[in-house]
């Protein structure tokens, strides 16, 4: 599902609640016992350590992967060869986003929570992300303002506004 709405209306908060980063003021968040959640968002950037390389970050996310698997993920995130050895402290915002996406890809999960994943990404990276999402066979909750991504994924839309969320019966163009 795609979660849309104006900035500051609670979209990122909704994802953080679903991921267990926040405790609800009212009600509860329940998931199936077999649900394994992977969160990508600005709040998740804090897991990156400045002295680690991209390769080390991906490996740290899932130490059961061998080096070839880690390097494959790095390559998919456009850190092929020696680029995977770049330290987080010298990465641009887009490179940090791609590193975090690599960490998400490294972790087995069946529910992806993606909060503005295309921010800081170039066109090639957005296309790679779109392709990866379309091949993912788990659940997805996507917060984005990127019309191309929403349309490419062709997901159910939910609008967050005025403290509530509701299913939007039209497509993204109808929302705009």
């Amino acid at each position: 599902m795609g979660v849309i709405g104006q900035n500051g209306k609670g979209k990122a908060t909704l994802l953080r609640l679903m991921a267990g980063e926040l405790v609800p003021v009212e009600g509860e968040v329940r998931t199936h016992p077999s649900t394994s959640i992977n969160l990508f968002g600005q709040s998740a950037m804090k897991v990156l350590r400045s002295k680690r390389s991209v390769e080390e970050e991906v490996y740290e996310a899932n130490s059961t992967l061998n080096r070839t698997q880690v390097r494959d993920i790095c390559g998919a995130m456009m850190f092929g060869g020696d680029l995977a050895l770049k330290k987080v402290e010298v990465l641009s915002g887009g490179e940090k986003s791609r590193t975090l996406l690599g960490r998400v890809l490294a972790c087995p999960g069946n529910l992806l929570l993606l909060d503005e994943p295309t921010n800081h990404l170039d066109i090639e990276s957005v296309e790679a992300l779109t392709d990866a999402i379309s091949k993912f066979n788990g659940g997805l909750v996507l917060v984005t303002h990127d019309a191309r991504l929403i349309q490419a994924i062709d997901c159910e839309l939910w609008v967050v506004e005025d403290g509530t969320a509701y299913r939007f019966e039209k497509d993204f163009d109808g929302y705009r």
Side-chain angles (χ1 to χ4, degrees), residues 43-103:
S43 63
M45 286 288 186
K46 65 185 173 220
V47 303
L48 298 177
R49 300 290 176 246
S50 62
K51 300 298 181 192
R52 287 188 191 147
S53 68
V54 173
E55 179 181 3
E56 290 168 330
E57 282 292 337
V58 172
Y59 178 74
E60 194 275 333
N62 183 354
S63 61
T64 66
L65 298 176
N66 63 42
R67 188 155 194 245
T68 301
Q69 292 169 313
V70 169
R71 282 300 189 118
D72 285 347
I73 292 170
C74 291
M77 293 295 100
M78 299 169 52
F79 292 108
D82 287 345
L83 293 177
L85 303 177
K86 284 179 81 170
K87 299 292 184 189
V88 170
E89 64 191 353
V90 301
L91 299 178
S92 69
E95 290 172 322
K96 287 178 182 175
S97 290
R98 292 196 328 259
T99 301
L100 190 56
L101 283 168
R103 288 178 56 91

Side-chain angles (χ1 to χ4, degrees), residues 8-166:
K9 298 298 180 181
K11 299 179 304 291
T13 300
L14 174 64
L15 289 191
R16 293 182 68 201
L17 282 164
M18 292 174 74
E21 281 191 0
L22 298 175
V23 177
V25 174
E26 293 181 37
E28 63 182 319
V29 176
R30 291 183 292 165
T31 59
H32 189 275
S34 67
T35 302
S36 176
I37 296 173
N38 286 335
L39 171 67
F40 171 88
Q42 294 306 310
S43 63
M45 286 288 186
K46 65 185 173 220
V47 303
L48 298 177
R49 300 290 176 246
S50 62
K51 300 298 181 192
R52 287 188 191 147
S53 68
V54 173
E55 179 181 3
E56 290 168 330
E57 282 292 337
V58 172
Y59 178 74
E60 194 275 333
N62 183 354
S63 61
T64 66
L65 298 176
N66 63 42
R67 188 155 194 245
T68 301
Q69 292 169 313
V70 169
R71 282 300 189 118
D72 285 347
I73 292 170
C74 291
M77 293 295 100
M78 299 169 52
F79 292 108
D82 287 345
L83 293 177
L85 303 177
K86 284 179 81 170
K87 299 292 184 189
V88 170
E89 64 191 353
V90 301
L91 299 178
S92 69
E95 290 172 322
K96 287 178 182 175
S97 290
R98 292 196 328 259
T99 301
L100 190 56
L101 283 168
R103 288 178 56 91
V104 169
L105 290 174
C107 295
N110 53 22
L111 178 58
L112 289 178
L113 306 178
L114 303 179
D115 185 10
E116 297 289 355
T118 60
N119 284 1
H120 310 294
L121 296 182
D122 58 28
I123 292 171
E124 185 180 357
S125 299
V126 172
E127 289 172 358
L129 173 65
T130 303
D131 185 51
I133 289 172
S134 67
K135 292 177 181 172
F136 181 68
N137 55 0
L140 170 70
V141 180
L142 170 69
V143 171
T144 188
H145 296 282
D146 188 327
R148 291 171 299 169
L149 181 60
I150 288 273
Q151 291 165 338
I153 294 172
D154 191 31
C155 54
E156 181 177 294
L157 295 179
W158 284 74
V159 175
V160 174
E161 65 183 9
D162 301 325
T164 188
Y166 61 91

